[in-house]
Amino acid sequence: NAGVTQTPKFRVLKTGQSMTLLCAQDMNHEYMYWYRQDPGMGLRLIHYSVGEGTTAKGEVPDGYNVSRLKKQNFLLGLESAAPSQTSVYFCASSYILIGELFFGEGSRLTVL
Amino acid sequence: AQSVSQHNHHVILSEAASLELGCNYSYGGTVNLFWYVQYPGQHLQLLLKYFSGDPLVKGIKGFEAEFIKSKFSFNLRKPSVQWSDTAEYFCAVNGAFTGTASKLTFGTGTRLQVTL
């Protein structure tokens, strides 16, 4: 039972490049989330999904896109990376919308 | 909009000292409250949660938290910390009965350093 798995774990990009972070969960959770963690700012919600085929904006959605084509996967895309997107990204899932979140191990992204 | 404040950004304690980390939230309705812990190099994991009932909640590894509704607080406590408690601690809150717009709001975190 892997829980929540994120790939890749580390990535370095140049400004303007694009990339996709993949999150996969094997707990059959309906709800999935993408957060970014920055020093002194805690975790901020980028986008979330309440079910397959649905997505919604969180606190800091600009510059990111997401897709939830399959229930177990939640993809986070950066179309044109900027240095301000240097961060650690965490994916999470939950059984109910207001319940406990289960987190992945994080993906550290550096944009030069 | 809901918000969470953790006033202690960095706490340094000696082993066996008692711990209390503050958490205050701002939200007009019924809330669910959580404390998450992030050990160095690891992902966040749930320490304890409060949904309803007894306002004194016990979690893993000897941690407990008390929900004081009148003070909008959910402080985390441990009577005697260990070196292995060195981690970052996050308080989080979300509205208990809101719909699809509900989300978990995190505080900025408190970094706990326990010295031997």
Side-chain angles (χ1 to χ4, degrees), chain A residues 23-104:
Chain A
C23 176
Q25 53 96 3
D26 61 3
M27 296 174 283
N28 201 35
H29 286 169
E30 287 293 335
Y31 305 97
M32 297 188 74
Y33 316 80
W34 275 106
Y35 285 87
R36 60 177 290 173
Q37 182 182 29
D38 302 291
M41 303 191 77
L43 279 83
R44 293 180 292 169
L45 183 64
I46 305 171
H47 286 280
Y48 65 102
S49 169
V50 300
E52 182 179 314
T54 73
T55 62
K57 293 180 179 180
E59 298 173 70
V60 288
D62 294 341
Y64 304 95
N65 56 75
V66 288
S67 64
R68 183 100 181 265
L69 298 179
K70 293 182 178 180
K71 184 177 183 178
Q72 63 268 34
N73 295 337
F74 194 31
L75 278 64
L76 178 70
L78 285 71
E79 291 185 345
S80 180
S84 61
Q85 294 177 305
T86 293
S87 187
V88 180
Y89 293 86
F90 285 97
C91 177
S93 69
S94 65
Y95 180 64
I96 58 175
L97 191 62
I98 56 174
E100 174 186 356
L101 267 59
F102 293 83
F103 284 86

Side-chain angles (χ1 to χ4, degrees), chain A residues 35 37 40-43 45 48 50 58-59 90 96-106, chain B residues 32 34 36 38 43-44 46 49 51 88 90 94-96 99-104 106-108:
Chain A
Y35 285 87
Q37 182 182 29
M41 303 191 77
L43 279 83
L45 183 64
Y48 65 102
V50 300
E59 298 173 70
F90 285 97
I96 58 175
L97 191 62
I98 56 174
E100 174 186 356
L101 267 59
F102 293 83
F103 284 86
E105 295 187 348
Chain B
N32 296 323
F34 305 81
Y36 284 84
Q38 186 179 27
H43 62 284
L44 280 83
L46 184 70
K49 61 187 177 186
F51 279 17
E88 191 150 18
F90 294 92
N94 65 6
T100 56
S102 177
K103 60 177 176 64
L104 198 60
F106 285 84
T108 54

Side-chain angles (χ1 to χ4, degrees), chain B residues 29-44:
Chain B
T30 303
V31 292
N32 296 323
L33 298 156
F34 305 81
W35 275 97
Y36 284 84
V37 60
Q38 186 179 27
Y39 297 104
Q42 296 187 26
H43 62 284
L44 280 83

Side-chain angles (χ1 to χ4, degrees), chain B residues 69-87:
Chain B
K69 188 175 181 180
S70 60
K71 294 185 177 180
F72 298 91
S73 69
F74 190 55
N75 291 355
L76 181 70
R77 300 194 293 247
K78 186 172 184 178
S80 176
V81 295
Q82 300 174 312
W83 179 80
S84 58
D85 293 325
T86 295

